[in-house]
Amino acid sequence: MCGRYTITISLEELLLRFHIDPAFPLYHRPRYNVAPGQLVPAIVNDGERNRIGELKWGLIPQWAKDESIGSKMINARAETVAEKPAYRIPLERKRCLVPADGFYEWKKKDDGKTKQPMRITLRNEAMFAMAGLYDIWTTPDGRKVSTCTVITTAPNRLMADIHDRMPVILRPEHESVWLDRGMRDTSRLLDMLKPYPAEEMRAYPVAAGVGNVSNDGPECIRELDDAAGAAKRREGAGE
């Protein structure tokens, strides 16, 4: 699954990377520990241009009776996304990009009882887009709630040692096709939902504090080995 991620870049970088009209900005600050249930920046295309806005992470289908279902729908499996009632129509008409520059997953330690949080990024540390779907649910009192889910797929060689799923990271050349509201070729869309090449990614351990959603600072993404090494160097220098 994909249950935590990071987007630590500036708003300017975000707008430039996804060719978004600056006339439609949103408030954005670097985020180091994005979690389900939170509002997340997402990109859609209105038929003419890309637009950015916030969606609640955890998809609530248009036909849902109440919003509690959203907590169970933070991810959609690529293998069944075209079949499940909650995702079939969004796949045809309501696709979005969820920008990120890393995501977290927990790897079992050798003792088999505890887990080590890992942050996974592209090797060049560039921003990327996770394939997402969105929907709009109307509350009983008429309020509109816009929500999204992140599509996951089988792990690549790097991720297989950490977890049995990973988010679908779209190739840059596929992003505009994914957002194209006129694209209804399901087979072509599904063909994009493949594991990202392992050789273009890296994973490194981070501190256990990332497991607490209230922790949302640069310390969340600090490489654990670097932090330990820095501490030893300080001790050696008598600090």
Side-chain angles (χ1 to χ4, degrees), residues 198-238:
E199 62 273 15
E200 296 183 30
M201 303 179 72
R202 71 177 292 251
Y204 65 86
V206 295
V210 74
N212 187 334
V213 297
S214 64
N215 296 326
D216 188 18
E219 68 279 1
C220 290
I221 67 171
R222 192 169 297 131
E223 188 163 358
L224 198 58
D225 290 344
D226 285 354
K232 289 180 180 178
R233 287 193 293 273
R234 287 196 297 271
E235 291 174 4

Side-chain angles (χ1 to χ4, degrees), residues 9-224:
I9 46 75
S10 68
L11 176 61
E12 290 73 20
E13 291 174 291
L14 189 57
L15 298 181
L16 183 62
R17 167 64 174 77
F18 294 102
H19 311 290
I20 297 166
D21 189 336
F24 298 97
L26 81 165
Y27 172 74
H28 170 72
R29 60 174 177 79
R31 298 174 66 182
Y32 301 88
N33 196 6
V34 184
Q38 297 178 351
L39 292 175
V40 302
I43 297 155
V44 300
N45 187 280
D46 63 8
E48 296 182 358
R49 55 192 170 185
N50 289 350
R51 302 186 67 166
I52 190 167
E54 289 186 317
L55 300 173
K56 185 177 180 180
W57 188 8
L59 189 134
I60 306 174
Q62 185 177 7
W63 42 258
K65 293 182 179 179
D66 63 75
E67 57 187 320
S68 63
I69 193 174
S71 63
K72 302 175 183 178
M73 304 184 76
I74 65 171
N75 293 152
R77 294 175 68 91
E79 298 87 342
T80 58
V81 70
E83 305 166 8
K84 298 287 186 179
Y87 306 131
R88 188 172 59 245
I89 293 178
L91 178 65
E92 294 177 0
R93 308 174 187 172
K94 299 175 180 177
R95 299 182 298 271
C96 64
L97 302 178
V98 180
D101 56 12
F103 62 93
Y104 298 109
E105 201 50 80
W106 278 253
K107 178 182 179 179
K108 283 187 178 180
K109 294 185 178 180
D110 292 339
D111 61 15
K113 298 178 181 179
T114 56
K115 294 184 178 183
Q116 171 62 55
M118 307 288 292
R119 183 174 183 241
I120 301 93
T121 68
L122 299 188
R123 279 197 172 276
N124 62 6
E125 300 184 343
M127 196 184 331
F128 54 85
M130 299 184 289
L133 305 174
Y134 71 94
D135 210 341
I136 301 173
W137 181 69
T138 304
T139 66
D141 61 2
R143 181 170 50 92
K144 303 287 186 181
V145 180
S146 299
T147 61
C148 68
T149 188
V150 173
I151 300 177
T152 65
T153 186
N156 59 23
R157 187 178 65 256
L158 172 72
M159 285 299 300
D161 189 47
I162 301 172
H163 198 271
D164 61 359
R165 303 294 293 176
M166 67 179 292
V168 170
I169 298 174
L170 292 171
R171 282 291 194 182
E173 61 267 24
H174 291 160
E175 292 171 3
S176 60
V177 181
W178 185 256
L179 289 180
D180 183 358
R181 297 165 68 95
M183 168 55 66
R184 301 291 177 87
D185 185 343
T186 301
S187 61
R188 185 177 178 189
L189 294 170
L190 293 178
D191 193 51
M192 299 178 191
L193 307 181
K194 296 179 177 179
Y196 202 80
E199 62 273 15
E200 296 183 30
M201 303 179 72
R202 71 177 292 251
Y204 65 86
V206 295
V210 74
N212 187 334
V213 297
S214 64
N215 296 326
D216 188 18
E219 68 279 1
C220 290
I221 67 171
R222 192 169 297 131
E223 188 163 358
L224 198 58

